[in-house]
Amino acid sequence: MYQTKLFTTLLLLNVAGSIVSAQGCARGPCGVGAMCQETSGGRPVCSCPAGYSGNPLTQCIRAECLDHSECIRSDQACRDGKCINPCNGVCGINANCEAICSCPRGMSGDPFVSCRVNDPEQLCRPSPCGSNTKCEVLNNVPTCSCLPGYIGSPLSGCRHECESDVECGNQEFCSQFKCTNACSQCGKGASCARVTNHRAVCECPKGYIGSPYTECRAECYGDRDCSPARPACIYGVCKNPCDGSCGVNADCNLRGLTPVCSCPRDMTGDPFVSCRPFTKEDLCNPNPCGTNAVCTPGYDRTNRERPVCTCPAGYTGNALSNCVRGECQSDNECADHKACINYQCVDPCSGQCGTGAQCQAKRHLAVCTCPAGTQGDALVSCRATQSYPVARYH
């Protein structure tokens, strides 16, 4: 293969009488067809690619040929980028020259010097890439790329994304040379409360146990996982169902897992709200007596406090069961021949007169009289009048 001369020129600009480097390849300092690469100091370096010649600052021109196959005439060979007759100057005066040198198919090189087997990988030896890179030949072109886990420019060199936390954002930390979300430090089921100095502050949800940096789990998955002191599994947490179920000063007892609230024996009130010590007024609140009856704090035969039930004025009946309003409260509410007795309009004569007396009700009163032929106190007894014979004088 024809070896072209590689022109490499360091582009320098004269500014104010001094030599300074241009600002990289971005300004396009090289000529047509030339390549531009920056040195570690940022200076642009212009060069003609393989198979091209010329001034890289102005223009690089492709050679007439790169190997013999590009020469049209069969009696020509590619030498120094030009198709020429290989016999020129080779044979003596009046001599015939028929020797044509060429590299066989699958080989390349200078047939007048040496032919070698084509090896595309030779384009990467030595590697034109920077440090921490990989060189691959793609379509007969050496291609540079950063190694896994590295970033940067493969031509100048690649580096790790980070070496320490300070090279990452406030919410990230450096893990295996990569900037990673700091909250990924939290374990399964945990929540990321905040990030401080590139480190996550992890918390287990309320009622969960375990390490927030490894795994948070529920305290229980059923009642069988709980102790007798907290026998109920409620939303993954062992609890005593009595906690917070009853009112102030109330007692709580479990029936199975159901809380039962009650006030102590010497207290009263709503056990779901508050219990307080008994007072006399509590004997009648709520009213233990019958309908329409009146409750009054009192004492029983043993002198213990107890409620006393009575029917109010104008009512009759059993105060423990029912008090019924009477028919009347005064005689005026009854007929003239009846009187209001025990709140009922009744005959006032009933049981009022003496034995043998007769009674007539008038103006709500009993009028007792001894009937004719009797005498005595009508309120006590009337008896027959005794008749004595009367002496007649003739």
Side-chain angles (χ1 to χ4, degrees):
M1 177 183 290
Y2 166 67
Q3 301 292 326
T4 62
K5 293 182 179 180
L6 184 63
F7 293 93
T8 303
T9 303
L10 177 64
L11 178 63
L12 300 176
L13 298 178
N14 191 336
V15 179
S18 62
I19 305 299
V20 296
S21 64
Q23 296 180 356
C25 292
R27 298 181 58 184
C30 301
V32 178
M35 296 188 305
C36 181
Q37 286 185 312
E38 295 180 7
T39 65
S40 58
R43 292 184 175 184
V45 177
C46 300
S47 61
C48 287
Y52 286 71
S53 62
N55 185 346
L57 295 179
T58 56
Q59 184 177 12
C60 293
I61 302 174
R62 190 182 188 280
E64 181 182 357
C65 62
L66 298 180
D67 57 36
H68 302 308
S69 62
E70 296 185 11
C71 294
I72 299 176
R73 294 175 53 180
S74 61
D75 61 345
Q76 290 184 329
C78 185
R79 182 172 293 177
D80 294 332
K82 294 182 179 181
C83 292
I84 62 172
N85 188 333
C87 289
N88 290 341
V90 175
C91 301
I93 299 173
N94 298 321
N96 292 326
C97 179
E98 297 179 355
I100 298 298
C101 301
S102 63
C103 288
R105 182 180 297 275
M107 302 185 73
S108 61
D110 187 346
F112 296 96
V113 179
S114 174
C115 293
R116 62 183 181 277
V117 177
N118 286 331
D119 183 8
E121 297 302 324
Q122 290 293 332
L123 297 175
C124 285
R125 301 191 189 102
S127 174
C129 308
S131 59
N132 301 316
T133 60
K134 178 176 65 174
C135 180
E136 294 179 293
V137 178
L138 301 176
N139 297 325
N140 293 321
V141 177
T143 304
C144 303
S145 61
C146 290
L147 292 174
Y150 288 80
I151 61 174
S153 171
L155 291 178
S156 58
C158 299
R159 61 176 180 81
H160 285 129
E161 182 179 356
C162 64
E163 298 285 346
S164 64
D165 293 339
V166 296
E167 299 178 64
C168 301
N170 293 334
Q171 302 296 314
E172 298 176 320
F173 76 111
C174 188
S175 174
Q176 297 181 348
F177 307 110
K178 289 185 178 181
C179 290
T180 307
N181 187 340
C183 285
S184 64
Q185 298 169 336
C186 297
K188 182 179 179 181
S191 61
C192 184
R194 61 187 179 278
V195 176
T196 303
N197 295 329
H198 305 281
R199 287 294 179 269
V201 178
C202 307
E203 298 176 348
C204 284
K206 185 177 180 181
Y208 278 60
I209 60 176
S211 170
Y213 296 96
T214 54
E215 181 180 6
C216 297
R217 62 179 180 83
E219 182 181 5
C220 60
Y221 296 95
D223 296 337
R224 63 182 180 278
D225 299 330
C226 299
S227 66
R230 297 183 298 149
C233 183
I234 302 175
Y235 298 114
V237 180
C238 289
K239 293 184 178 180
N240 186 335
C242 278
D243 292 344
S245 297
C246 301
V248 179
N249 298 325
D251 292 334
C252 182
N253 295 287
L254 292 178
R255 290 181 182 174
L257 294 178
T258 302
V260 178
C261 302
S262 61
C263 286
R265 294 179 62 87
D266 58 344
M267 304 186 80
T268 186
D270 185 345
F272 296 99
V273 180
S274 177
C275 295
R276 57 177 175 77
F278 272 111
T279 63
K280 286 186 177 182
E281 288 72 18
D282 293 323
L283 294 173
C284 292
N285 186 20
N287 190 344
C289 304
T291 305
N292 299 322
V294 176
C295 179
T296 305
Y299 298 88
D300 61 13
R301 293 179 180 178
T302 62
N303 205 33
R304 293 181 60 184
E305 292 182 341
R306 55 157 290 175
V308 177
C309 300
T310 57
C311 286
Y315 284 74
T316 61
N318 185 345
L320 295 178
S321 58
N322 187 26
C323 291
V324 181
R325 189 181 188 282
E327 183 180 1
C328 62
Q329 292 190 10
S330 66
D331 291 339
N332 294 332
E333 298 180 47
C334 300
D336 183 72
H337 64 284
K338 290 187 177 182
C340 185
I341 301 174
N342 292 330
Y343 309 110
Q344 300 293 325
C345 290
V346 297
D347 184 358
C349 289
S350 178
Q352 297 299 313
C353 298
T355 304
Q358 62 182 12
C359 181
Q360 185 177 8
K362 289 183 178 180
R363 297 181 180 179
H364 314 293
L365 298 176
V367 178
C368 300
T369 59
C370 287
T374 64
Q375 63 179 4
D377 186 349
L379 296 178
V380 179
S381 175
C382 293
R383 60 184 180 278
T385 303
Q386 292 183 355
S387 60
Y388 297 96
V390 178
R392 294 182 179 182
Y393 299 96
H394 297 280

